[in-house]
């Protein structure tokens, strides 16, 4: 779960039409632990979590070259995916601290830590944030040797790092520095390093030739007059951002900021400027954002229930715990529609909109997205007002009655990879006329919160 309260740790067009035309029925819920897919989706492989971190849950994924990097509350693992049908773990680093949201750049891996620790080491234990000496923030690893990653630097940030977003430098600076936008929230008067008001982000400047010199270079305030704090039904009032997606080549970013959706101008990397802002009465917690490839649309997700509730049911309905699709015109948001998976989940299944990525299909807007116990959904939002699901993968309720599911689902070089809380890493493939052209698009790196256009590949 994405832990917004920190207490929640724990066949082409025909197929598409069939998926959207059939009403959702509770009787369609799969048997416990059973894998089910749409006809155009294949479950290629499941890789259980490596033993060193098998007891803790999987979270986010980053990709570079022939490797996938999977975050976990207990650390992270590196997988060799040069042959996705035979993908295998290479190493695991035990370094506890939720959430371990990960991103990679060159030989560097950055990991977000949003649980207060007694120190910054990988041997640390949890300790109250009310103690001044407690640490939380960003850990930096050298992953040049995939079998033996090395921890090289920590950077403490106010209120920790719930998520992080890597932003390359501009012009001549691009080869000298990268910047890490750190999202954090939930300040308290008794937290010395996380005092209210906290309507800001932290920006870490990382010199590429000397990453051990990384340090916080700016803490811009996003909401100088306060964020959305009074809307009925908010999970938590705005006190920062949950996640930011940067589209660096276009000098823009989208912030999912608890009670607010925000558009930034990031042409000055250390001074992001808010250019548009919106709220939604159906949204409880603005969780993440995804731009269309042309940046004329943005998808915001609502993590209703904080990731721990069963919200993919008839009682909750189609407009809450869903995605909201906005067109961007003249720098402003225009709401177009909601999208939510059309398959009911059992009351024991935590299910809500979560992390996903574009599938690089030229001329269409298609993405794959995780829905926790709702599995993953592949959906088309080319028509902003009429999105539709075109494929899916999911498991039935867990036989033991516990929650879990897929935290992140991303498309990378022909395959979909899903990080499941308990089941490990799933490799999935979609074969469909709407998405088949994506097979010809290749990239050397994918950090989903650092979007890059695929026209140039």
């Amino acid at each position: 779960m994405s832990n917004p309260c920190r207490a929640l740790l724990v066949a082409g067009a025909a197929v598409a039409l069939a998926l959207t035309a059939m009403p959702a029925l509770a009787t369609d819920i799969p048997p416990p632990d059973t894998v089910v897919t749409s006809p155009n989706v294949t479950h290629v492989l499941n890789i259980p979590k490596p033993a060193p971190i098998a007891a803790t849950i999987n979270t986010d994924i980053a990709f570079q070259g022939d490797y996938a990097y999977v975050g976990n509350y207990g650390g992270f693992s590196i997988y060799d995916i040069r042959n996705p049908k035979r993908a295998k773990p290479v190493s695991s680093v035990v370094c506890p601290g939720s959430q371990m949201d990960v991103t990679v750049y060159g030989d560097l891996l950055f990991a977000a830590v949003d649980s207060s620790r007694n120190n910054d080491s990988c041997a640390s234990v949890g300790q109250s944030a009310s103690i001044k000496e407690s640490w939380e923030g960003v850990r930096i690893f050298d992953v040049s040797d995939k079998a033996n990653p090395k921890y090289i630097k920590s950077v403490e940030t106010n209120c920790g790092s719930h998520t992080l977003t890597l932003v390359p430098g501009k012009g001549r600076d691009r080869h000298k520095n990268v910047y890490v936008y750190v999202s954090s929230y939930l300040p308290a008067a008794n937290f010395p390093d996380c005092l209210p008001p906290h309507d800001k982000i932290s920006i870490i400047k990382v010199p590429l030739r000397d990453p051990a010199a990384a340090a916080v270079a700016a803490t811009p305030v996003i909401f100088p007059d306060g964020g959305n704090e009074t809307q009925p039904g908010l999970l938590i009032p705005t006190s920062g951002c949950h996640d930011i997606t940067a589209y660096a080549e276009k000098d823009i970013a989208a912030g999912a900021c608890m009670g607010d959706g925000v558009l930034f101008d990031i042409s000055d990397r250390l001074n992001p400027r808010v250019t548009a802002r919106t709220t939604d009465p159906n949204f409880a917690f603005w969780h993440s954002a995804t731009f269309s490839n042309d940046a004329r649309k943005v998808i915001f997700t609502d993590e209703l229930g904080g990731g721990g509730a069963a919200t993919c049911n008839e009682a909750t309905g189609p407009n809450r715990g869903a995605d909201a699709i906005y067109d961007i015109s003249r720098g402003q948001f225009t709401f177009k529609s909601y999208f939510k998976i059309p398959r009911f989940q059992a009351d024991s299944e935590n299910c809500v909109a979560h992390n996903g990525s574009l599938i690089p299909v030229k001329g269409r807007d298609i993405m794959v997205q995780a829905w926790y116990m709702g599995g993953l959904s592949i959906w088309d939002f080319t028509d902003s007002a009429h999105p539709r699901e075109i494929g899916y993968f999911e498991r039935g309720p867990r036989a033991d009655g516990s929650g879990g599911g897929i935290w992140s689902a991303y498309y990378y070089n022909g395959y979909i990879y899903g990080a499941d809380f308990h089941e490990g890493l799933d490799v999935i493939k979609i074969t469909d006329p709407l998405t088949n052209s994506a097979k010809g698009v290749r990239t050397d790196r994918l950090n989903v919160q650092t979007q890059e256009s695929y026209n140039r590949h």
Side-chain angles (χ1 to χ4, degrees):
M1 289 161 279
S2 179
N3 184 26
C5 295
R6 297 196 192 186
L8 300 174
L9 293 178
V10 138
V15 171
L17 288 171
L19 289 171
T20 54
M22 295 297 290
L25 300 173
T27 53
D28 293 334
I29 296 169
D33 296 331
T34 302
V35 170
V36 294
T37 71
S38 56
N40 55 352
V41 169
T42 303
H43 189 198
V44 176
L45 182 68
N46 172 263
I47 311 167
K49 290 181 291 185
I53 55 173
T56 43
I57 67 173
N58 278 342
T59 58
D60 205 21
I61 317 174
F63 304 86
Q64 191 163 243
D66 293 326
Y67 297 91
Y69 302 79
V70 180
N72 182 287
Y73 271 40
F76 67 92
S77 296
I78 302 176
Y79 294 80
D80 181 339
I81 58 169
R82 70 189 69 191
N83 181 348
K85 297 178 181 179
R86 297 181 180 179
K88 58 185 178 182
V90 176
S91 63
S92 292
V93 173
V94 177
C95 199
S98 67
Q99 303 192 126
M100 292 301 286
D101 185 23
V102 294
T103 192
V104 291
Y105 193 88
D107 291 335
L108 302 176
L109 178 142
F110 303 87
V113 179
D114 190 31
S115 62
S116 187
R117 318 294 295 176
N118 68 327
N119 60 58
D120 65 353
S121 76
C122 288
S124 65
V125 296
Q127 177 174 283
S128 173
S130 64
I131 300 172
K132 173 62 179 174
E133 293 73 23
S134 296
W135 179 91
E136 53 187 326
V138 175
R139 293 176 176 140
I140 306 175
F141 296 82
D142 181 332
V143 292
S144 54
D145 182 349
K146 304 298 183 287
N148 295 287
K150 294 180 173 61
Y151 182 14
I152 60 173
K153 173 71 175 181
S154 73
V155 180
E156 187 171 13
T157 56
N158 294 142
C159 301
S161 176
H162 194 72
T163 62
L164 50 78
T165 303
L166 186 142
V167 184
K170 291 184 62 177
R172 294 180 180 178
D173 188 45
R174 184 178 182 89
H175 302 291
K176 296 179 180 180
N177 301 291
V178 293
Y179 300 86
V180 180
Y181 287 12
V182 174
S183 296
S184 59
Y185 49 92
L186 287 179
N190 64 327
F191 293 171
D193 297 320
C194 184
L195 295 170
H198 179 76
D199 292 314
K200 61 184 179 182
I201 64 173
S202 297
I203 302 178
I204 300 171
K205 183 178 181 180
V206 185
L208 292 172
R209 293 182 180 178
D210 185 15
V216 175
T219 53
V221 175
I222 307 304
F223 304 106
D225 300 318
N228 183 8
E229 300 176 356
T230 60
Q231 176 183 308
L234 287 181
L235 181 65
I236 312 168
T238 300
S239 62
C241 292
H242 176 275
D243 206 357
I244 295 172
T245 293
Y247 207 152
E249 68 193 72
K250 297 182 182 293
D251 285 335
I252 57 174
C257 301
M258 306 178 71
D260 298 80
V262 173
L263 188 66
F264 297 96
D265 177 334
I266 60 168
S267 53
D268 182 343
R269 299 295 193 244
L270 289 175
N271 294 284
R273 181 172 58 89
V274 175
T275 58
R277 179 176 163 191
T278 189
T279 60
D280 187 319
N282 282 321
F283 263 43
F285 191 85
W286 295 68
H287 176 276
S288 54
T290 303
F291 286 106
S292 60
N293 187 55
D294 61 9
R296 294 179 180 176
K297 304 172 188 176
V298 64
I299 307 299
F300 284 108
T301 69
D302 175 23
E303 195 182 37
L304 176 68
T311 68
C312 297
N313 52 25
E314 187 174 14
T316 303
N319 297 339
R320 301 181 68 237
D323 298 315
I325 305 167
Y326 288 82
D327 284 354
I328 302 174
S329 179
R330 297 181 180 179
Q332 298 299 308
F333 295 119
T334 301
F335 173 79
K336 301 301 291 185
S337 65
Y338 297 109
F339 171 78
K340 192 171 183 180
I341 58 173
R343 289 162 283 109
F344 287 146
Q345 306 297 303
D347 290 340
S348 64
E349 293 181 283
N350 56 298
C351 176
V352 74
H354 216 242
N355 295 346
S357 76
L358 295 182
I359 296 179
V361 179
K362 293 181 180 180
R364 302 198 71 85
D365 298 314
I366 298 177
M367 73 180 290
V368 58
Q369 184 178 4
W371 290 76
Y372 288 140
M373 288 298 291
L376 65 82
S377 175
I378 301 148
W379 61 289
D380 186 331
F381 63 101
T382 307
D383 181 344
S384 302
H386 301 93
R388 56 175 182 160
E389 183 175 75
I390 63 172
Y392 67 87
F393 165 97
E394 69 167 298
R395 290 181 171 90
R398 290 178 61 80
D400 63 7
S402 67
I406 296 179
W407 178 295
S408 301
Y410 302 144
Y411 181 97
Y412 182 70
N413 291 347
Y415 290 81
I416 294 166
Y417 297 83
D420 188 285
F421 282 43
H422 306 294
E423 303 300 328
L425 182 64
D426 286 306
V427 183
I428 294 154
K429 192 172 184 66
I430 181 168
T431 303
D432 190 286
L434 290 175
T435 61
N436 287 345
S437 65
K439 297 174 184 177
V441 179
R442 288 291 184 268
T443 185
D444 295 328
R445 181 174 58 244
L446 179 66
N447 296 305
V448 170
Q449 288 74 32
T450 307
Q451 277 193 237
E452 297 181 78
S453 67
Y454 49 78
N455 292 331
R456 57 198 175 104
H457 294 299

